[in-house]
Amino acid sequence: MTLDDALASLKAQAEPGRAAQMAAYHKQTREILGVPNPATNDLTKTWRQALPLDERVNLARALWESDIFEARIAAAKLLTQARIKEDAAAWDLMQSWVPDFDSWAIADHACSAISKRLQAAPERLDTVEAWTQSDHMWSRRAALVATLPWAKMNNLKPADQERRERILGWAAAYVPDRNWFMQKAVAWWLRDLSKHDAERTRAFLAEHGTVMKAFARKEAAKYLKDS
């Protein structure tokens, strides 16, 4: 499948008037086609089933480089898969996207794909830790969004418990950052953690909550009883 074929398929799913609404909602200046997310899901599912991995990686690269809003989301969805045998090329491509993040919707879809590769090879957290020191806010944020699986685990093995604590260390370092997206990312991680380890979430909030913005502290404690 060529890039032109993929873009033609996406454009065929565009809804009249939707592009302008999406541009306003997502605050986008890049081209937007006006494709609903369910339609993108259906297309990329079909492509994943039909294309071998090397062709999917090449198509994902081309879709991302087109810089079309839905094409970048489709690129991420095309590689969002729990099990990918010999995934080095896919992982390298996903890493290359991180400095390009400039929109929560695109970043979150890409981070969903990245999270699968991190679960497949947790040693890649060493790479993610470097993102926490980036001057690029979206890269720093991605370190938390892409590691959300460790907030959601139950009955952790010792290695995953260590990884959870490592990531919470990143979150703690982010707390003084007053950027809304960074505060939201910390709150999101803690909110998900609270469903699986309420006491650890309470401990984090007891230590750092007074420094968090009020909305983030409230969001983090959303599912904690008596909070």
Side-chain angles (χ1 to χ4, degrees), residues 168 185-194 201 204-205 212 220:
L168 283 168
V186 173
W188 184 2
W189 218 95
L190 293 171
R191 183 194 65 197
D192 281 0
L193 177 64
S194 72
T201 307
F204 185 101
L205 290 173
M212 295 170 65

Side-chain angles (χ1 to χ4, degrees), residues 103-159:
S103 159
W104 65 264
I106 293 173
D108 288 2
H109 281 97
C111 283
S112 181
I114 290 168
S115 73
K116 302 296 186 185
R117 309 280 45 84
L118 292 176
Q119 289 175 276
E123 63 272 16
R124 289 168 174 162
L125 288 173
D126 290 345
T127 298
V128 177
E129 187 161 29
W131 304 350
T132 69
Q133 303 301 313
S134 174
D135 292 334
H136 180 229
M137 181 275 290
W138 293 100
S139 294
R140 297 195 304 277
R141 177 182 179 274
L144 288 189
V145 180
T147 56
L148 279 168
W150 277 276
K152 301 174 183 179
M153 292 178 180
N154 291 313
N155 303 315
L156 276 71
K157 295 179 180 178

Side-chain angles (χ1 to χ4, degrees), residues 38 45 62 69 134 163 194 216:
K45 181 179 179 180
F69 183 77
S134 174
R163 291 167 189 136
S194 72

Side-chain angles (χ1 to χ4, degrees), residues 54-88:
D54 59 340
E55 292 185 28
R56 280 192 285 138
V57 170
N58 288 334
L59 179 58
R61 180 180 293 105
L63 285 164
W64 189 271
E65 291 176 353
S66 76
D67 199 27
I68 296 170
F69 183 77
E70 293 93 335
R72 286 199 161 184
I73 290 175
K77 289 178 178 293
L78 192 57
L79 296 178
T80 303
Q81 184 177 337
R83 296 182 180 180
I84 300 179
K85 189 176 181 179
E86 298 180 357
D87 67 350

Side-chain angles (χ1 to χ4, degrees), residues 24-41:
Y25 178 71
H26 292 287
K27 298 179 173 62
Q28 292 292 292
T29 56
R30 59 171 48 88
E31 181 180 357
I32 293 181
L33 304 177
V35 181
N37 198 50
T40 306
N41 283 338

